[in-house]
Amino acid sequence: MRITTKGTKSMLLYGTLLLLLMQIPLFVLFDKGREGQILYLFLVVLVILTIWKGAITGLISSLILIFVSGSILLYMSIAGTISTINDAFSIQLFLVYGVLLLVLILCAGKVNELLLLQEQRISHLQQSVNRFVAIDVETGFDNETRMYLTVNEEMRRANRYKHQFIFILLRLENYKQFEQLYGVNEVQHLWKQLAEKVQQTVRQTDKKFRFGDNQIALLLTDTSDEFIDVVYEKLDYVLKNHQLLNGRLVTLSYKTSYFLYTSQVERSFEELLTDLEREMRTNEL
């Protein structure tokens, strides 16, 4: 947060400096008629372009403007085709304008750099917040980030103490169709009911996770796969039927898969999870 505040102060400083510097060409060109107004308008456009696209784009555009405008002014001065040119402008004045323009572009480029840096810092802070927000608001279960941390920690514990655990992945089928058919309120009600039913079915010591939009993951600690059929029967009994807010009952279908982890397993959780998603099969749930 301190870094972000420092970046904001720097951006305000350079922004204020840029505004102050822009008053100088305004003062210089104020009484130079329409030509002066056009040159100042070009200056404003180039400053905005630089803040948007960066210093390199601004410098290239500025150099092109200075070269073209200077060449035209020089030609007219030499040819003497327009006598008022020398009254309103001089080569020296145009050189001053060019120097001021380049200074302003460099300052605007710095503002662009600070804006991009600030955007990166804010994005980094948002990612950090997402990593530390561990609870899924609809179910009260731990979220996907917490799932990776918890399962990896449980794997280390299983390796150290020769324990084992089961990891179950449940995927609610036709989730998008349910959401389109019944709406947001019913979706929120669905997840609230599913969470309550899962909490009542598995042990308090077991870990529950909301994984993705339509998946629930369960980590059953100190459990062998000989009990998996019992676990499936319990989940099937409580999750299969769902009562809508209007009292109507609907039947839900799931795909499910699991793996048993022991200290002999020499694969990462990411690899095991990939296999689960690939081998997801239709079950009784």
Side-chain angles (χ1 to χ4, degrees), residues 6-37:
K6 181 179 178 182
T8 302
K9 290 181 178 179
S10 299
M11 188 166 58
L12 289 174
L13 176 63
Y14 277 96
T16 303
L17 179 61
L18 179 62
L19 290 175
L20 292 175
L21 288 175
M22 288 187 68
Q23 306 309 308
I24 300 175
L26 178 62
F27 175 78
V28 172
L29 300 173
F30 182 77
D31 59 346
K32 302 305 179 184
R34 186 176 61 181
E35 291 82 2
Q37 295 172 5

Side-chain angles (χ1 to χ4, degrees), residues 28-239:
V28 172
L29 300 173
F30 182 77
D31 59 346
K32 302 305 179 184
R34 186 176 61 181
E35 291 82 2
Q37 295 172 5
I38 293 174
L39 285 176
Y40 189 77
L41 178 62
F42 282 150
L43 184 147
V44 173
V45 171
L46 288 172
V47 168
I48 294 174
L49 178 65
T50 303
I51 294 176
W52 180 32
K53 291 294 187 178
I56 295 178
T57 300
L59 285 172
I60 293 174
S61 302
S62 300
L63 291 174
I64 292 175
L65 172 65
I66 292 172
F67 176 77
V68 173
S69 302
S71 298
I72 294 174
L73 179 61
L74 181 62
Y75 172 78
M76 289 181 174
S77 299
I78 294 174
T81 55
I82 302 180
S83 59
T84 57
I85 287 292
N86 289 327
D87 297 331
F89 293 95
S90 66
I91 298 300
Q92 292 80 3
L93 179 60
F94 191 78
L95 289 175
V96 172
Y97 172 83
V99 171
L100 287 173
L101 177 59
L102 293 177
V103 171
L104 285 168
I105 293 303
L106 291 174
C107 189
K110 186 63 177 180
V111 173
N112 169 266
E113 179 184 334
L114 290 171
L115 283 172
L116 293 177
L117 185 60
Q118 192 76 344
E119 183 179 349
Q120 292 173 359
R121 288 168 176 165
I122 292 174
S123 176
H124 177 71
L125 286 175
Q126 290 175 338
Q127 293 174 4
S128 298
V129 169
N130 291 335
R131 285 196 296 267
F132 284 106
V133 176
I135 303 300
D136 173 68
V137 294
E138 290 186 316
T139 61
F141 294 168
D142 288 344
N143 65 7
E144 182 176 344
T145 301
R146 180 64 64 178
M147 180 184 73
Y148 280 93
L149 294 173
T150 301
V151 175
N152 280 293
E153 178 60 31
E154 190 65 24
M155 291 171 68
R156 287 190 289 269
R157 193 177 77 89
N159 293 336
R160 187 181 307 117
Y161 300 108
K162 308 304 179 184
H163 290 172
Q164 58 187 2
F165 66 86
I166 287 178
F167 182 86
I168 300 175
L169 191 61
L170 296 172
R171 177 182 298 159
L172 177 61
E173 292 293 275
N174 304 316
Y175 178 69
K176 293 299 182 182
Q177 290 85 340
F178 182 94
E179 185 176 24
Q180 293 172 358
L181 183 61
Y182 296 111
V184 176
N185 290 336
E186 282 291 359
V187 169
Q188 294 175 346
H189 175 66
L190 168 66
W191 284 111
K192 181 180 178 181
Q193 293 299 307
L194 291 179
E196 291 178 357
K197 292 175 181 179
V198 170
Q199 291 280 18
Q200 295 168 3
T201 303
V202 300
R203 299 169 299 181
Q204 291 296 320
T205 54
D206 294 329
K207 309 297 183 182
K208 303 94 181 175
F209 310 97
R210 173 77 179 274
F211 178 42
D213 289 336
N214 62 332
Q215 297 182 117
I216 293 176
L218 303 173
L219 192 161
L220 311 183
T221 57
D222 299 314
T223 304
S224 65
D225 56 354
E226 63 181 299
F227 299 105
I228 190 64
D229 290 335
V230 176
V231 174
Y232 275 162
E233 288 177 6
K234 289 182 178 180
L235 291 173
D236 177 37
Y237 179 76
V238 298
L239 299 182

Side-chain angles (χ1 to χ4, degrees), residues 272-284:
L272 294 169
L273 186 59
T274 299
D275 285 346
L276 282 189
E277 294 179 321
R278 184 186 306 118
E279 298 170 2
M280 189 77 71
R281 60 186 175 83
T282 302
N283 206 292
E284 294 296 327

